Amino acid sequence: MKIQRRNKANPEFSLAAMTDVILLMLIFFMITSSAANQSAIDVKLPKAGAVEDNIPNPLTVSIKPDGSYFVDDTPVTREQLEPLIVSKLTDQTNRSFTIRADENTMHKDVVFVMEIAEKNKFNIAIATVKVK
């Protein structure tokens, strides 16, 4: 006597649940990536006209109006600035950094950081705020 099974497992599965999970992950990573690029150093960036958004640089040098320097939100002295920038960018494929200077920062402090970039052949970007 041959016994037949009544409940056969269905080998197909629905992709709807996986699509929902991927959509939620995409939203999560989009939100966290935009929030992760913000710096904790409070500087008022100068305003600029038409600018193109660029790929973010791996290193940020912030300059406050009193002449204090910060590398990736870590305070450094003027003497420590060049060795720290060079050590952080030596193994990078993108040998560039962003200068975030307050609009009231003295010109000599910004030029000092630009001279470091020129001497070591680093590319720089200067952060600004778009005029609305």
Side-chain angles (χ1 to χ4, degrees):
M1 182 159 127
K2 193 173 186 183
I3 301 175
Q4 293 182 353
R5 284 186 167 178
R6 291 185 183 181
N7 297 335
K8 286 190 174 181
N10 189 359
E12 298 175 8
F13 62 95
S14 174
L15 290 176
M18 188 167 51
T19 305
D20 291 341
V21 170
I22 291 174
L23 179 66
L24 289 173
M25 287 175 52
L26 178 68
I27 292 170
F28 172 76
F29 287 122
M30 285 174 50
I31 291 171
T32 56
S33 67
S34 65
N37 200 12
Q38 300 298 322
S39 178
I41 306 303
D42 185 32
V43 292
K44 289 183 177 179
L45 297 175
K47 294 179 179 28
V51 293
E52 292 183 26
D53 288 337
N54 219 347
I55 298 172
N57 291 321
L59 185 70
T60 301
V61 177
S62 300
I63 309 169
K64 295 195 67 141
D66 61 356
S68 56
Y69 297 97
F70 296 85
V71 175
D72 288 337
D73 301 338
T74 305
V76 294
T77 63
R78 188 178 178 99
E79 295 78 26
Q80 296 171 332
L81 187 61
E82 183 174 359
L84 185 61
I85 292 173
V86 171
S87 69
K88 286 192 176 219
L89 292 179
T90 48
D91 297 333
Q92 297 285 335
T93 56
N94 182 13
R95 294 173 48 101
S96 63
F97 62 93
T98 302
I99 299 174
R100 295 183 68 244
D102 192 281
E103 61 186 7
N104 297 320
T105 298
M106 295 189 72
H107 187 69
K108 66 177 183 168
D109 296 325
V110 177
V111 170
F112 175 72
V113 178
M114 293 171 77
E115 286 174 346
I116 292 172
E118 177 66 28
K119 184 176 14 173
N120 295 292
K121 305 292 186 227
F122 296 144
N123 295 323
I124 58 170
I126 297 181
T128 58
V129 176
K130 290 183 184 178
V131 178
K132 293 184 180 181

